[in-house]
Amino acid sequence: MICDDKSKAYLYIRTGSTLQDVQSSLKHKGYLKHPKWFAWAAQLLHYEQSVKPGKYELKQGMNNRDLIE
C-alpha cells in the first residue's frame, strides 16, 4: 500500500509481503517505469528473500536499487 500526501509518499510493506506484492504496489501507483527491470534488480540483490515489513519513504528520482534498499 502506498500513501501519498502533497510532499511525500510512503510505501507500507505488511508482514508476509512478497517481492511480487511490493512490485505490484509500486507499479500500481506509477513508481516503476520498467517493472521487469525492477524484478531483475531485486533478484540480483536477493531482495525476494529479505522483504522486510515497515514504512518506507519514496523520494522523487529513486532508481530500482534505491527502492530495493
Side-chain angles (χ1 to χ4, degrees):
M1 168 189 256
I2 296 177
C3 175
D4 296 300
D5 70 26
K6 293 180 182 175
S7 61
K8 296 180 182 178
Y10 293 95
L11 173 65
Y12 292 91
I13 299 177
R14 297 173 191 221
T15 301
S17 292
T18 64
L19 168 60
Q20 291 77 20
D21 296 331
V22 174
Q23 181 177 351
S24 178
S25 291
L26 290 167
K27 181 180 173 186
H28 179 70
K29 291 294 185 176
Y31 287 94
L32 292 181
K33 291 182 183 178
H34 305 285
K36 289 182 182 180
W37 287 107
F38 175 81
W40 178 77
Q43 288 176 352
L44 283 178
L45 296 170
H46 305 287
Y47 179 66
E48 55 196 6
Q49 291 91 21
S50 62
V51 175
K52 293 186 175 60
K55 176 182 173 182
Y56 299 92
E57 183 177 352
L58 301 175
K59 297 176 184 173
Q60 193 75 324
M62 293 179 83
N63 62 31
N64 287 332
R65 186 178 191 104
D66 296 333
L67 290 169
I68 293 164
E69 290 179 350

